């Protein structure tokens, strides 16, 4: 039996979106391929509220995160982390030989804007990374306030991991001054895994030209220049099947309307949070709770593993806590094309299993 996925990636994918993956192939150097990428770009620009260029990578989001820190750091990167995905960005920098420092907040907390200011005011850093939505803890950073601080340092390249938020939450890339905003196909966009996308400012591309040893497959300059010079095509063969599905899904997203989509996500989040507060507790401070997933503090000490096994028999899957938070928390994703009714159905089943009145 198929389990409906309430896990923070891969998320549940609509049947009609899935079926677009079996569209017959086209040549990746054909006019059709250029048109496909151009359509995708136009809609992704709307989704990211940007005039900047859009790049796709046939890798999951981690690929573009690695690309950003490797290609655009000339001096030193300031990596702000509020959990596992922030930590990972630091590991990527270090393993690529990039000078980088990790500034970590306590688990469950945000990156405080004052912290970013203190770090950048040293003048040591030319790139900063921020996790918008930390999927390991269910915390959403106050990106508006953080971006106001970063704007005081116009020479610093501003990179954002929006992997588990873009498409579910409004991110006004250009208003916020984000140079590289990254997401993956399998989260709030509601597609299978295997493709990632980012916005890239001209400033970031120019900066990258000054950096040596950018690698090849994930060289942002090569991707950027090829898109510009070769009529929206890629240096190597892209994942056309996912591009067909992405193009179709973006049209559905525009039909729903971005504002409506963000409202639907917020309604699912609010419902899940109030359920969590009534029956357990929220792991994150509610002010900074994620809109795309809820991390529930397991104060009743239920067995999350057993709950999930029983949910599985009923056709649902949720996520255990991440890493050290396993069994101490559990995570319910409410993103992409899931609806408030889907969320209500899931929570009713959890109530039944745990005999919650
Ligand atoms: C899932 C996730 C990633 C990793 O993305 P992949 O597409 O799995 O490489 C990075 N950051 C956040 C916040 C995520 O949720």
């Amino acid at each position: 039996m198929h389990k409906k996925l309430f896990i923070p990636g891969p998320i549940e994918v609509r049947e009609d979106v899935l079926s677009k993956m079996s569209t017959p192939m086209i040549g990746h150097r054909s006019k059709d391929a250029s048109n496909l990428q151009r359509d995708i770009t136009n809609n992704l620009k709307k989704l990211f509220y940007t005039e900047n260029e859009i790049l796709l990578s046939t890798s999951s989001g981690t690929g573009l995160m690695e690309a950003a820190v490797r290609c655009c750091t000339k001096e030193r990167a300031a990596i702000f982390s509020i959990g596992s995905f922030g930590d990972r960005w630091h590991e990527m920098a270090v393993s690529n030989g990039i000078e980088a420092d990790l500034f970590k907040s306590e688990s469950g907390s945000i990156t405080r804007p004052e912290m970013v200011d203190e770090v950048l005011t040293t003048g040591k850093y030319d790139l900063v990374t921020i996790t918008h939505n930390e999927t390991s803890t269910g915390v959403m950073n106050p990106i508006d306030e953080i971006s106001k601080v970063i704007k005081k340092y116009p020479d610093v390249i501003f990179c954002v991991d929006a992997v588990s938020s873009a498409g579910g939450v409004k991110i006004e890339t250009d208003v916020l001054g984000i140079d590289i905003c990254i997401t993956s196909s399998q989260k709030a966009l509601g597609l299978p895994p295997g493709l990632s996308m980012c916005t890239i400012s001209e400033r970031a591309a120019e900066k990258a030209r000054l950096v040596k040893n950018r690698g090849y497959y994930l060289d942002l300059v090569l991707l950027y220049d090829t898109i510009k010079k070769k009529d929206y095509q890629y240096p190597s063969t892209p994942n056309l099947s996912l591009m067909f599905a992405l193009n179709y899904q973006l049209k559905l997203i525009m039909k729903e309307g971005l504002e409506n989509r963000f409202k639907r996500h917020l309604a699912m989040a609010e419902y899940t949070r109030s359920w969590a507060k009534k029956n357990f507790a929220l792991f994150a401070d509610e002010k900074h709770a994620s809109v795309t997933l809820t991390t529930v503090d397991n104060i009743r000490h239920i067995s999350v593993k057993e709950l999930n096994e029983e949910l599985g028999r009923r056709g649902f899957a949720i996520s255990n806590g991440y890493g050290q938070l396993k069994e101490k928390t559990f995570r319910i994703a409410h993103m992409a094309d899931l609806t408030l009714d889907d969320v209500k159905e899931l929570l009713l089943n959890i109530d039944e299993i745990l005999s919650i009145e």
Side-chain angles (χ1 to χ4, degrees):
M1 178 175 51
H2 171 67
K3 293 177 197 164
K4 197 180 265 188
L5 298 177
F6 292 81
I7 64 175
I11 195 70
E12 190 67 18
V13 180
R14 287 169 58 134
E15 288 278 341
D16 52 338
V17 173
L18 262 186
S19 72
K20 290 290 164 192
M21 295 280 294
S22 55
T23 305
M25 272 310 116
I26 56 173
H28 71 299
R29 297 282 172 243
S30 64
K31 265 244 146 350
D32 287 345
S34 296
N35 290 337
L36 177 62
Q37 177 59 37
R38 202 174 297 106
D39 278 2
I40 290 171
T41 295
N42 288 339
N43 277 330
L44 279 178
K45 282 185 176 180
K46 288 182 199 155
L47 188 129
F48 279 111
Y49 297 83
T50 189
E51 297 293 322
N52 289 339
E53 195 51 86
I54 300 288
L55 303 177
L56 300 190
S57 170
T58 296
S59 67
S60 69
T62 307
L64 283 175
M65 287 168 71
E66 182 160 356
V69 74
R70 174 170 181 164
C71 297
C72 299
T73 311
K74 194 158 179 292
E75 306 298 329
R76 203 172 181 88
I79 312 283
F80 289 88
S81 171
I82 56 170
S84 306
F85 290 105
D87 292 354
R88 225 189 248 187
W89 221 342
H90 182 248
E91 278 173 48
M92 290 177 218
V94 171
S95 64
N96 276 287
I98 305 293
E99 305 282 347
D101 292 312
L102 178 64
F103 302 98
K104 207 171 150 97
S105 303
E106 206 182 305
S107 178
S109 326
I110 57 163
T111 297
R112 283 179 304 104
E114 310 82 67
M115 225 171 119
V116 178
D117 207 5
E118 264 171 46
V119 168
L120 294 186
T121 199
T122 62
K124 275 162 62 182
Y125 303 96
D126 63 344
L127 180 137
V128 59
T129 74
I130 300 287
T131 309
H132 179 224
N133 187 65
E134 178 51 66
T135 317
S136 63
T137 57
V139 171
M140 193 170 263
N141 257 326
I143 195 82
D144 292 15
E145 291 158 48
I146 293 172
S147 76
K148 279 189 198 125
V149 169
I150 296 176
K151 278 188 187 157
K152 287 167 51 185
Y153 306 92
D155 295 335
V156 175
I157 300 293
F158 180 15
C159 305
V160 173
D161 169 356
V163 171
S164 61
S165 51
V169 185
K170 190 181 222 169
I171 303 169
E172 291 183 280
T173 304
D174 290 357
V175 173
L176 298 171
I178 302 170
D179 291 293
I180 301 182
C181 191
I182 301 163
T183 198
S184 300
S185 53
Q186 78 280 14
K187 307 235 171 141
L189 288 178
L191 293 154
L195 200 62
S196 53
M197 38 301 256
C198 72
T199 71
I200 179 168
S201 66
E202 187 160 353
R203 206 166 90 81
E206 291 311 313
K207 177 69 185 292
R209 290 183 204 285
L210 307 173
V211 175
K212 279 190 214 151
N213 299 322
R214 298 183 302 264
Y216 188 90
Y217 192 64
L218 295 171
D219 177 6
L220 291 179
V221 175
L222 182 62
L223 285 170
Y224 186 81
D225 287 350
T226 310
I227 280 283
K228 296 255 185 226
K229 284 186 207 142
K230 282 206 175 170
D231 195 21
Y232 286 91
Q233 294 184 1
Y234 285 91
S236 54
T237 324
N239 189 333
L240 290 161
S241 304
L242 263 169
M243 288 171 71
F244 289 130
L246 172 62
N247 192 29
Y248 176 79
Q249 173 70 332
L250 285 169
K251 284 177 183 151
L252 292 181
I253 291 174
M254 294 308 152
K255 206 161 141 203
E256 177 181 16
L258 288 170
E259 295 292 343
N260 291 335
R261 190 173 175 88
F262 302 146
K263 268 190 220 146
R264 176 167 57 77
H265 277 77
L266 189 60
M268 293 191 289
E270 284 174 343
Y271 191 90
T272 311
R273 282 179 213 155
S274 65
W275 175 89
K277 283 191 294 180
K278 186 163 156 257
N279 301 303
F280 290 88
L282 288 175
F283 180 71
D285 177 352
E286 189 163 5
K287 235 177 47 211
H288 302 297
S290 164
V291 174
T292 53
L293 81 150
T294 297
T295 301
V296 182
D297 194 349
N298 184 12
I299 54 168
R300 293 160 70 118
H301 306 293
I302 60 150
S303 164
V304 175
K305 185 168 172 278
E306 281 167 25
L307 168 63
N308 221 359
E309 280 166 5
E310 181 52 32
L311 280 172
R313 286 188 274 277
R314 295 167 181 236
F316 305 93
I318 61 169
S319 267
N320 210 319
Y322 194 98
Q324 299 198 331
L325 293 172
K326 199 169 175 180
E327 292 296 328
K328 294 192 183 112
T329 63
F330 57 93
R331 296 172 299 157
I332 299 172
H334 27 72
M335 58 171 88
D337 294 316
L338 291 170
T339 64
L340 186 57
D341 282 341
D342 291 327
V343 170
K344 287 180 178 172
E345 190 190 14
L346 170 79
L347 298 177
L348 268 179
N349 274 276
I350 298 180
D351 286 349
E352 263 179 40
I353 295 166
L354 300 177
S355 311
I356 294 174
E357 295 292 299

